[in-house]
């Protein structure tokens, strides 16, 4: 039997959907634009490996943007695969954040910029790990999620 008070996209599930559809993609787009803006304004020429770093990083971020919007859209529309898509997004985000941590070394970026990129990547990886654990647990244990998508 379904608890009708917990049926539908509301509460934390609505907040998660809005983050997936609006906030996360907006922050990723801002990060992409800022990185390419810096690159076009001299970083590509001054810093060895920086151009290749952003060429490799861009499709990863576009993939996360796409997956985030798709997961949020599926959840808003109460499709069964929305929760699975959100889980894939969470795990993909952690994996890509880890790749961002090692990419400065792979692309032989100069030490001062490498330190900045690795520090930023480490912070984003920590945030992605905590977010993954908390949201994944919510998706597994929430009654609203179970009632809404008929798990």
């Amino acid at each position: 039997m379904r608890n009708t008070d917990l049926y539908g996209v509301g509460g934390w599930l609505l907040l998660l959907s809005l983050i997936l559809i609006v906030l996360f993609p907006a922050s990723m787009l801002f990060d992409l634009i800022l990185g390419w803006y810096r690159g076009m304004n001299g970083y590509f020429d001054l810093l060895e490996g920086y151009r290749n770093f952003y060429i490799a990083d861009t499709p990863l971020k576009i993939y996360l943007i796409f997956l985030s919007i798709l997961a949020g859209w599926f959840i808003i529309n109460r499709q069964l695969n929305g929760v699975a898509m959100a889980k894939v997004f969470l795990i993909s985000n952690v994996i890509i954040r880890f790749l961002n941590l090692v990419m400065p070394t792979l692309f032989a970026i100069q030490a001062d910029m490498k330190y900045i990129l690795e520090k930023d990547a480490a912070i984003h990886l920590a945030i992605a790990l905590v977010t993954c654990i908390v949201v994944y647990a919510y998706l597994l244990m929430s009654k609203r999620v179970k009632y809404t998508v008929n798990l």
Side-chain angles (χ1 to χ4, degrees), residues 9-27 65 67-77 86 89 135 138-139:
V9 180
W12 291 110
L13 190 57
L14 178 60
L15 179 63
L16 174 62
S17 299
L18 293 175
I19 289 169
L20 289 171
I21 293 172
V22 178
L23 293 178
F24 184 84
S27 72
I65 290 168
L67 198 57
S68 175
I69 292 171
L70 196 61
W73 184 256
F74 283 178
I75 290 171
I76 287 281
N77 289 298
F89 163 75
V135 175
Y138 167 74
L139 292 172

Side-chain angles (χ1 to χ4, degrees), residues 1-15:
M1 186 155 124
R2 186 183 304 200
N3 182 343
T4 55
D5 292 340
L6 295 176
Y7 178 76
V9 180
W12 291 110
L13 190 57
L14 178 60
L15 179 63

Side-chain angles (χ1 to χ4, degrees), residues 90-150:
L90 291 166
I91 293 168
S92 296
N93 190 28
V94 170
I95 292 168
I96 289 172
R97 297 304 183 160
F98 176 76
L99 288 174
N100 285 155
L101 185 62
V102 298
M103 282 171 47
T105 301
L106 294 175
F107 291 107
I109 293 178
Q110 294 172 340
D112 53 346
M113 188 58 158
K114 179 182 170 195
Y115 172 76
I116 293 169
L117 290 172
E118 287 175 342
K119 181 180 171 188
D120 187 52
I123 291 168
H124 283 99
L125 176 59
I127 292 168
L129 276 170
V130 170
T131 302
C132 182
I133 292 166
V134 170
V135 175
Y136 205 98
Y138 167 74
L139 292 172
L140 288 176
M141 296 187 287
S142 168
K143 289 181 182 178
R144 178 178 295 278
V145 172
K146 289 177 187 170
Y147 293 147
T148 300
V149 296
N150 297 321

Side-chain angles (χ1 to χ4, degrees), residues 46-77:
L46 294 174
L47 299 170
E48 185 179 328
Y50 193 74
R51 178 188 310 268
N52 293 335
F53 173 85
Y54 266 93
I55 289 171
D57 188 48
T58 297
L60 298 175
K61 287 185 177 165
I62 291 171
Y63 166 75
L64 284 178
I65 290 168
F66 173 75
L67 198 57
S68 175
I69 292 171
L70 196 61
W73 184 256
F74 283 178
I75 290 171
I76 287 281
N77 289 298

